[in-house]
Amino acid sequence: MDGVPRGPEQRGPGSPTEPVALRFGVLGPVRAWRDGVPVATGSPQQRALLAALLLREGRTATAAELIDALWGGQPPSQALAAVRTYASRLRKVLDPGVLVSESGGYAVRGLGEGALDLAAAQELAAEAEKARNTGDLCRARDLLNQALALWDGESLAGVPGPYADAQRVRLEEWRLQLLETRLDMDLEQGCHAEAVSELTALTAAHPLRERLRELLMLALYRSGRQAEALAVYADTRRLLADELGVDPRPGLSELQQRILEADPALVEPPARLPHPDPAPVRPAQLPATVPDFTGRAAFVRELGGVLASASGDEARVMAVSAVAGIGGVGKTTLAVHVAHAARDAFPDGQLYVDLQGAGARAAEPETVLGSFLRALGTADSAIPDSLEERAALYRSVLDGRRVLVLLDNARDAAQVRPLLPGTAGCAALVTSRVRMVDLAGAHLVDLDVMAPEEALALFTKIVGEERVRSEREAALDVVAACGFLPLAIRIAASRLAARRTWTVSFLAAKLADERRRLDELQAGDLAVAATFELGYGALEAAQARAFRLLGLADGPDISLAAAAALLDLPAAETEDLLESLVDTSLLESACPGRYRFHDLLRLYARACAERDEQPPAEREAARSRLLDYYLATAVRVYGIERPGDRTVAHLEKGRAAGEEFSGAAKALDWLHSEAGPLLACVQQSLGASMVRRAVDLLVAAIDLAESGVDSRQYRKTARAACEAAAALGDARAEVRARVTVAQVFSQAGRFEAADEEARRADALLRDADDPWANGTAPNQLGIIALCTARYAEAEGCFLRAIDAFRADGNRPGEASAVCNLSRTLASMGRSGEAVELARRGVEIYDELGMSMRLANARYASGIVLSQAGRSSEALAQLDEALCIFAENRQSLWEGTTHYRIAEVHLRAGRPARAARHAEQALATGCIGGDWMRANALTVLGRALDALGQGDRARACWREALTLYEETGSAEAVQVRHLLARLSAA
């Protein structure tokens, strides 16, 4: 906002495309504009006259009516003359013919469509009502938001007179009704978590408005906060009794009773309608079915019948079918084919995921649930952290819908259970290498190899009828040699189809060789290996090398650039090789520029590398090149985000150049898109020759730990690196790994574990001789001491860190320690020194142009200024930090900043604003894990208590106390005192 008041043509989407010369506003100060330029509307009484005429919508107002509107029962002696003077002055500044005299009175006529903001709001509200009646809640919500955006403060602000007073009350009541209607639709669409913050602020501003209280109770209950929902009712009942001597209306009491009874209908969000946002709400994630699907007719009928029973009108339970069989038997192909055939029975969408159950790193159920919830239209801010909460929300979102879920390549029943829908109308298809006898209620299907005729039919479809017809017996020999495994048949047939000079008999002879004996093809997974051997043996040398080396890379997939580094080839040549492997079904390409193995093929490729890659050192060299690529590129991202930071100078240097980026946004895109493969590369590079580079890659990719998205995997990888470095006796790698682990533990609020790691790192400094750790280790120790209120210890640590950073010439490191020291001194009551240090930290980051770190400095400055009692300056710093964190996708820091803003508002005596920001902190998540969540709950409780909502405050404090006790935090004592005071009141 530029601070310039906006006319209706600037604020209302209902404006005509051609600009109207004269426009008026009454939803705020009474104003007029001509072609966007403000028109002087005179004194308050003159504006009162204009408002009275505008609100009559073209009807004539007599002189007597206008006098009564302006002065009520006690008009001045010259009231009639004054009215005429005001009218004359307005006529001079308005367009000709707008203010007319008629029958001894006046009227405003000839206004164009949308020329009055109130008329535009009424039109938008009417359109919203129509949209809601037709079931288009998304459009209705958008229209109401547009109508509400037309208000610019209090209606008729600064206009005197009894008529204006009455109209102000009417317009405010209408605005609140529109707000309640929109919030009601928010809850209908399942946006309860987002609504809590706004409803908390509105109930604080309008404490006696029961409909707002009812909506807040429902939003809290659907967000899993039952105790707070009941506390809202108790607060409301007490307030109504004290202020008005009445009980809550029946609707509110009924809602309280339904919450006490845990009425299932309360947590069932209605089916969501399509929304113009890009996030899909009717997912269609099924992979494409193969055009040459062959056979399996009995299985198709069987599975199709199970799905039909789940989707019928008489369906009473959710259907689960689990297809089991060895690798390569065609489980996925069958499941995808059946799912496509049943799509019409599941009109609300189809979800798909490869659970990677046969690999070393199976997909985590909470990660899959997050992906599914986003695909179903759930906002990121509404997705909870824990597996149990995500599973519960997932089942709630699916309730009432008909959705088919295809869970491919599952490891076991434990991985699958949280991913199953919970109600009738939905169905799940599961594929796995294991038979899921422990998956309750599942319809089990054991998929064996194809029948000979089916296998021959598949082979014929791929190779061509003409080539097979004359060599039917040889073709039967080929499919038999393939063990009748569909994947083996497809690979063999594809090879033959690509080589026009080969005959079927020639291929059959190759398969009859001792190295590919039929008994080998029939022995479990060895059958798959022998089948893969057929495709691998037909590769050219360069293709075979690429196939082998690609199998060495862990991670869910690999980018073209990373593959080029691994193979030590130019990108264009690498792409040609990889695409040729895709053509032969030995590699998959899920999207342009990214490649992945079928999990069994990856194992086979790795076995080939161990067997065939000569000399053996080439395998180590390939892994080393991949690590160098990730390290060089992550270092470049780090440098873009933190210009001038000396960390880059202390990291290991590899041979790879890494990728270049046009700006910070592209760099962050790379880092977050490569998080899985990058962390997997660290995990597999913890041997003696690569551990230092692996640890430095973690240091360079530290933003992954702070983003909230990849924090858990980062923490797991960092701990593995720490253990490996310690086992190898590499002091430098160990000290860096321990500092990193301390940092991620600290961000998760696990301060005891963080302190242990930081102290062990500090003890290693002499042996490590590492300038980076000399500053970073005491800085991290100081952060932990600061968070646990050991201020004298924190001060000493930060002074050590500042000296070490200065000795290294690391100004950003110095600025970080200076900002942390400023917060410490502020907590010790040394406000003057603290404010000056915070200012210096901001200046250093500002001079260096460090966007992300500047946000941390402004965050620290805001805290210090708040503790010094300078709330306006504190809010300015925190608001700037919030914007920067949002731009850099640091959602946990966003939430933490909302918490600090809530603290400032609470200190300044603005509990309603404090409550709103505390709610946003809880919805977004914070650096500091459960400890910081408890802090936010404590502040929210204080704000609610100040607003007279004691029961809800008690619920917040009880949850905070539980979290403090679980984390062993000293703040538990303070919360017990708050609860005791509330009980005694």
Side-chain angles (χ1 to χ4, degrees):
M1 294 290 291
D2 54 10
V4 178
R6 296 174 296 171
E9 78 281 4
Q10 295 166 290
R11 295 188 273 145
S15 307
T17 55
E18 292 295 326
V20 176
L22 198 61
R23 296 182 182 273
F24 298 91
V26 294
L27 301 179
V30 176
R31 294 172 291 189
W33 297 265
R34 180 180 287 106
D35 295 326
V37 178
V39 174
T41 52
S43 66
Q45 284 79 13
Q46 189 168 305
R47 293 198 302 277
L49 176 70
L50 177 61
L53 295 174
L54 288 169
L55 291 173
R56 277 169 169 75
E57 300 178 350
R59 300 187 304 275
T60 301
T62 66
E65 288 174 332
L66 292 172
I67 289 171
D68 186 62
L70 268 64
W71 292 287
Q74 296 181 325
S77 58
Q78 300 298 317
L80 180 57
V83 167
R84 289 171 177 168
T85 299
Y86 298 151
S88 175
R89 290 174 180 171
L90 286 170
R91 190 179 286 116
K92 290 177 182 178
V93 298
L94 302 179
D95 291 346
V98 171
L99 199 159
V100 298
S101 301
E102 186 177 80
S103 304
Y106 301 93
V108 170
R109 302 272 173 80
L111 297 183
E113 183 182 352
L116 178 64
D117 58 359
L118 175 59
Q122 290 169 334
E123 182 180 344
L124 287 165
E127 288 297 317
E129 183 65 23
K130 291 179 185 176
R132 189 179 190 185
N133 290 338
T134 60
D136 192 349
L137 294 185
C138 293
R139 174 168 164 74
R141 287 173 65 202
D142 286 344
L143 289 167
L144 281 184
N145 279 326
Q146 292 173 34
L148 289 165
L150 291 172
W151 265 266
D152 191 13
E154 182 184 46
S155 299
L156 307 175
V159 174
Y163 179 78
D165 290 340
Q167 291 299 314
R168 256 191 298 275
V169 173
R170 178 181 72 86
L171 292 172
E172 176 60 12
E173 174 61 25
W174 184 50
R175 186 186 72 85
L176 289 172
Q177 289 174 0
L178 294 180
L179 258 178
E180 289 170 345
T181 302
R182 198 218 71 212
L183 286 162
D184 192 27
M185 287 189 285
D186 287 349
L187 298 189
E188 283 187 61
Q189 292 202 298
C191 301
H192 32 269
E194 296 92 332
V196 169
S197 175
E198 186 174 2
L199 283 165
T200 297
L202 286 169
T203 53
H206 307 280
L208 298 176
R209 201 168 182 92
E210 292 182 69
R211 179 55 179 157
L212 289 175
R213 298 270 183 160
E214 184 178 349
L215 290 169
L216 177 58
M217 287 175 65
L218 186 57
L220 285 167
Y221 182 72
R222 286 184 176 174
S223 300
R225 299 159 70 174
Q226 179 180 356
E228 285 187 66
L230 293 170
V232 169
Y233 178 82
D235 287 329
T236 306
R237 183 177 182 181
R238 185 180 62 254
L239 179 67
L240 291 173
D242 292 346
E243 297 289 331
L244 305 176
V246 299
D247 289 327
R249 63 187 179 88
L252 203 63
S253 301
E254 180 185 345
L255 178 59
Q256 181 230 14
Q257 189 61 35
R258 292 175 69 191
I259 291 173
L260 288 170
E261 295 170 355
D263 185 348
L266 285 181
V267 296
E268 296 177 1
R272 300 184 184 184
L273 295 169
H275 193 279
D277 288 345
V281 294
R282 295 181 63 186
Q285 297 184 341
L286 294 177
T289 187
V290 294
D292 49 25
F293 181 86
T294 303
R296 308 295 201 188
F299 291 111
V300 171
R301 284 194 300 271
E302 180 180 355
L303 291 170
V306 174
L307 295 183
S309 68
S311 61
D313 293 334
E314 300 301 317
R316 296 184 178 276
V317 295
M318 182 267 302
V320 180
S321 295
V323 181
I326 64 171
V329 80
K331 301 181 295 294
T332 298
T333 302
L334 172 64
V336 169
H337 179 79
V338 171
H340 273 286
R343 282 185 63 177
D344 290 344
F346 299 92
D348 295 317
Q350 305 86 39
L351 296 168
Y352 172 84
V353 65
D354 179 2
L355 293 172
Q356 304 177 46
R361 293 180 178 81
E364 296 290 342
E366 57 261 47
T367 303
V368 176
L369 285 169
S371 177
F372 277 178
L373 286 167
R374 280 188 286 272
L376 290 164
T378 307
D380 280 355
S381 59
I383 298 176
D385 290 329
S386 72
L387 172 61
E388 293 76 17
E389 289 175 313
R390 287 189 178 189
L393 178 59
Y394 170 68
R395 292 191 294 270
S396 298
V397 170
L398 288 180
D399 189 24
R401 296 183 175 190
R402 291 186 173 183
V403 174
L404 175 61
V405 183
L406 177 46
L407 305 172
D408 193 21
N409 195 10
R411 178 186 57 206
D412 51 30
Q415 186 189 28
V416 166
R417 288 190 191 98
L419 309 178
L420 297 177
T423 55
C426 292
L429 264 176
V430 185
T431 72
S432 177
R433 295 174 65 188
V434 299
R435 198 166 188 267
M436 294 196 173
V437 293
D438 53 344
L439 191 59
H443 176 79
L444 302 181
V445 174
D446 292 323
L447 191 61
D448 203 349
V449 297
M450 300 182 89
E453 289 303 318
E454 288 181 333
L456 181 61
L458 174 60
F459 182 83
T460 303
K461 279 190 177 182
I462 298 172
V463 174
E465 177 70 26
E466 183 177 343
R467 296 179 73 182
V468 174
R469 187 187 305 116
S470 60
E471 296 186 274
R472 177 178 170 82
E473 291 303 318
L476 285 172
D477 289 342
V478 169
V479 296
C482 290
F484 304 108
L485 285 168
L487 184 57
I489 295 167
R490 184 172 297 279
I491 293 172
S494 297
R495 288 289 120 206
L496 185 60
R499 288 162 174 75
R500 304 303 299 176
T501 59
W502 282 17
T503 63
V504 180
S505 300
F506 179 78
L507 178 61
K510 290 177 68 67
L511 292 176
D513 188 275
E514 283 188 348
R515 294 169 298 175
R516 301 177 181 87
R517 300 187 67 87
L518 294 179
D519 55 353
E520 293 179 356
L521 293 173
Q522 298 171 1
D525 283 349
L526 291 179
V528 177
T531 301
F532 292 157
E533 183 72 24
L534 172 67
Y536 173 67
L539 294 177
E540 297 173 359
Q543 291 175 316
R545 175 180 178 270
F547 176 77
R548 292 192 300 269
L549 295 184
L550 286 171
L552 298 176
D554 284 343
D557 62 2
I558 190 168
S559 69
L560 176 60
L566 177 75
L567 300 177
D568 197 20
L569 293 172
E573 186 176 345
T574 300
E575 184 175 23
D576 289 343
L577 283 172
L578 269 54
E579 289 297 329
S580 71
L581 292 175
V582 171
D583 291 341
T584 61
S585 302
L586 291 174
L587 197 64
E588 299 174 8
S589 181
C591 62
R594 300 201 74 87
Y595 301 88
R596 67 186 183 195
F597 276 113
H598 181 285
D599 43 26
L600 296 175
L601 272 168
R602 183 197 303 278
L603 295 175
Y604 175 74
R606 193 165 294 175
C608 289
E610 293 172 356
R611 181 190 68 194
D612 300 338
E613 198 61 45
Q614 300 298 332
E618 174 57 16
R619 298 196 296 273
E620 186 80 358
R623 291 192 182 100
S624 181
R625 289 192 297 268
L626 182 63
L627 176 59
D628 283 348
Y629 160 78
Y630 283 125
L631 177 58
T633 311
V635 166
R636 183 163 281 126
V637 175
Y638 189 97
I640 291 172
E641 285 291 295
R642 302 166 178 81
D645 194 324
R646 288 275 298 161
T647 297
V648 171
H650 297 304
L651 298 180
E652 287 284 310
K653 304 294 188 295
R655 293 190 302 163
E659 294 193 49
E660 296 185 358
F661 305 102
S662 57
K666 294 288 187 184
L668 284 174
D669 285 342
W670 178 88
L671 182 64
H672 289 286
S673 67
E674 292 291 338
L678 182 152
L679 294 173
C681 181
V682 172
Q683 191 93 24
Q684 70 173 148
S685 302
L686 298 177
S689 64
M690 290 189 276
V691 68
R692 287 194 173 191
R693 282 177 289 157
V695 169
D696 283 0
L697 177 52
L698 280 176
V699 172
I702 190 65
D703 283 350
L704 296 177
E706 298 182 355
S707 69
V709 179
D710 304 292
S711 302
R712 181 176 301 179
Q713 186 59 37
Y714 185 98
R715 182 164 62 247
K716 178 181 176 182
T717 306
R719 294 190 71 179
C722 197
E723 292 169 5
L728 291 167
D730 189 323
R732 205 211 70 174
E734 183 181 355
V735 72
R736 293 188 179 188
R738 291 203 183 280
V739 169
T740 304
V741 170
Q743 185 170 347
V744 295
F745 274 145
S746 180
Q747 289 165 356
R750 298 171 59 182
F751 296 116
E752 185 175 343
D755 192 58
E756 179 183 350
E757 293 295 340
R759 291 187 184 281
R760 293 176 72 176
D762 201 47
L764 287 166
L765 289 180
R766 180 177 298 176
D767 293 335
D769 189 25
D770 182 5
W772 179 85
N774 287 343
T776 310
N779 194 36
Q780 188 59 46
L781 267 174
I783 291 171
I784 298 163
L786 171 61
C787 291
T788 51
R790 293 178 281 130
Y791 301 125
E793 181 183 341
E795 180 183 9
C797 290
F798 291 136
L799 289 172
R800 276 181 56 204
I802 290 170
D803 288 341
F805 284 132
R806 284 176 177 168
D808 187 38
N810 191 342
R811 295 195 71 210
E814 177 189 349
S816 170
V818 164
C819 290
N820 292 331
L821 179 58
S822 73
R823 289 181 55 192
T824 304
L825 297 185
S827 298
M828 298 170 76
R830 293 154 64 179
S831 298
E833 296 173 75
V835 170
E836 176 58 28
L837 282 172
R839 183 192 61 77
R840 192 199 312 169
V842 170
E843 282 181 354
I844 293 174
Y845 281 131
D846 218 358
E847 290 170 7
L848 295 170
M850 298 184 70
S851 173
M852 174 63 183
R853 295 309 114 185
L854 178 59
N856 291 113
R858 292 199 183 281
Y859 169 84
S861 179
I863 295 172
V864 170
L865 288 166
S866 173
Q867 291 174 316
R870 295 157 65 172
S871 60
S872 297
E873 296 171 76
L875 285 174
Q877 293 289 324
L878 291 170
D879 284 341
E880 288 193 45
L882 190 63
C883 291
I884 298 172
F885 285 135
E887 289 171 2
N888 287 272
R889 297 175 239 178
Q890 296 293 318
S891 61
L892 295 181
W893 275 112
E894 283 185 70
T896 309
T897 307
H898 276 300
Y899 158 68
R900 296 299 184 183
I901 292 173
E903 282 189 316
V904 177
H905 283 305
L906 191 61
R907 286 195 183 101
R910 296 186 288 266
R913 293 186 186 182
R916 183 162 192 164
H917 282 283
E919 286 285 6
Q920 287 177 297
L922 291 170
T924 307
C926 299
I927 292 287
D930 286 344
W931 173 74
M932 187 58 84
R933 179 175 176 82
N935 289 347
L937 284 165
T938 303
V939 167
L940 177 58
R942 287 183 182 274
L944 294 170
D945 188 35
L947 292 167
Q949 301 180 33
D951 287 283
R952 191 176 165 202
R954 181 183 290 108
C956 291
W957 288 338
R958 282 174 176 167
E959 184 180 348
L961 180 60
T962 299
L963 293 172
Y964 282 141
E965 288 176 342
E966 288 176 353
T967 56
S969 301
E971 290 88 349
V973 175
Q974 175 192 33
V975 176
R976 290 192 193 98
H977 287 317
L978 290 172
L979 287 167
R981 177 179 59 77
L982 198 61
S983 299

